[in-house]
Amino acid sequence: MTLPLGISVTRDGGLLRLVLARPKANIVDAEMIAALTVALADHADAPDLKAVLLSAEGPHFSFGASVEEHLPGSCDAMLKSLHALVRQMLEYPVPIMVAIKGQCLGGGLEVAMAGHHLIARSDASLGQPEMMLGVFAPAASCLMPDRIGQSHAEDLLYSGRPVSGDRACAMGLVDATADDPGAYALTYFDAHLANKSASSLRLAVRAARGAYAARMIARLNEVEALYLNQLMATRDAVEGLEAFIAKRPAKWENK
């Protein structure tokens, strides 16, 4: 089986490139989460590193996390590993740029929002469809209100509807739109980060991001417990996931 992640270092050691490499879906499953976690950890202390660029092969960034791994028996391990990755990205010592195209949904969008600078194609589709499966999006419930405000976040989290890259940019969910988000990110790096001191940049990230990361991590710990201890004890959460896997309509009993 091929590796789920492309890893390279460019720009004289200044840029770590991570490419989700399971097109077309680029599912954020246990293997993908582990590969991202290890790659980020392996390069975090590289003295010349100034930024990370996370992108994806194929037409879509990611369809989201593995629904099968959300079922009882595997949910606890999957969710905790995904949230550990989100925490790692929130506290990462250099900026993480994320280039988004096609669909960026569910756990894929949660991973993207843990980054620093998001760029999307205008016609990308970004959303948290978890409520359609009878569950909620834990990391997004923490990250999204801070990015786009409470009202917009509640709309997207409760409805499960996606928005276009253009609409996401207007909301502040992404920071810019471009026909080629990866090329845009490289241009941004060359123009604004490549000529900076790597050591000073790391301290600037700590100064600007430290309080935000601590607040998000504390809230994520609370929401993770809500998901695992209360949501997954409900009948409808399991029904929604099983119905999706079986490709049948869910039968809600509101309990």
Side-chain angles (χ1 to χ4, degrees):
M1 184 177 289
T2 58
L3 293 175
L5 187 69
I7 305 169
S8 62
V9 178
T10 63
R11 301 304 201 263
D12 297 322
L15 182 65
L16 170 63
R17 299 199 63 175
L18 304 177
V19 184
L20 307 183
R22 289 279 170 79
K24 68 177 182 181
N26 289 315
I27 295 295
V28 182
D29 59 8
E31 190 175 13
M32 184 72 80
I33 292 168
L36 284 165
T37 300
V38 170
L40 288 168
D42 283 349
H43 293 86
D45 296 327
D48 296 328
L49 187 67
K50 298 177 182 179
V52 177
L53 173 54
L54 175 61
S55 61
E57 289 182 10
H60 303 288
F61 183 79
S62 174
F63 286 2
S66 167
V67 176
E68 289 80 3
E69 291 178 3
H70 276 76
L71 291 170
S74 57
C75 179
D76 188 273
M78 182 283 303
L79 200 68
K80 288 180 178 178
S81 65
L82 175 58
H83 290 171
L85 171 62
V86 168
R87 295 182 189 98
Q88 180 185 23
M89 294 176 67
L90 285 168
E91 295 184 307
Y92 209 66
V94 299
I96 299 174
M97 302 178 290
V98 186
I100 298 167
K101 57 185 176 179
Q103 295 189 50
C104 179
L105 304 174
L109 181 53
E110 290 182 312
V111 169
M113 284 191 290
H116 298 65
H117 191 63
L118 280 59
I119 309 102
R121 279 182 56 98
S122 297
D123 58 358
S125 179
L126 300 90
Q128 300 291 161
E130 285 86 348
M131 278 300 297
M132 296 179 181
L133 279 65
V135 296
F136 64 81
S141 296
C142 306
L143 299 171
M144 190 174 282
D146 212 87
R147 288 193 70 92
I148 65 176
Q150 194 70 29
S151 179
H152 284 318
E154 290 191 23
D155 170 22
L156 298 186
L157 291 167
Y158 301 161
S159 71
R161 69 183 182 91
V163 293
S164 69
D166 278 337
R167 179 60 180 150
C169 191
M171 287 179 166
L173 184 57
V174 302
D175 302 294
T177 57
D179 290 339
D180 186 337
Y184 180 103
L186 292 175
T187 298
Y188 180 92
F189 176 84
D190 292 338
H192 302 297
L193 299 177
N195 62 348
K196 302 302 189 296
S197 159
S199 58
S200 296
L201 184 60
R202 285 170 179 264
L203 292 172
V205 170
R206 284 174 57 187
R209 190 138 168 122
Y212 166 76
R215 180 163 47 85
M216 289 299 103
I217 289 169
R219 181 60 182 147
L220 183 57
N221 293 339
E222 297 173 356
V223 175
E224 179 183 288
L226 179 68
Y227 190 103
L228 293 174
N229 299 333
Q230 297 189 45
L231 177 70
M232 291 309 297
T234 67
R235 179 263 179 201
D236 280 358
V238 178
E239 161 64 12
L241 296 168
E242 290 180 343
F244 179 85
I245 293 169
K247 299 181 180 179
R248 61 170 174 81
K251 298 177 181 179
W252 306 126
E253 294 184 4
N254 303 318
K255 59 183 182 180

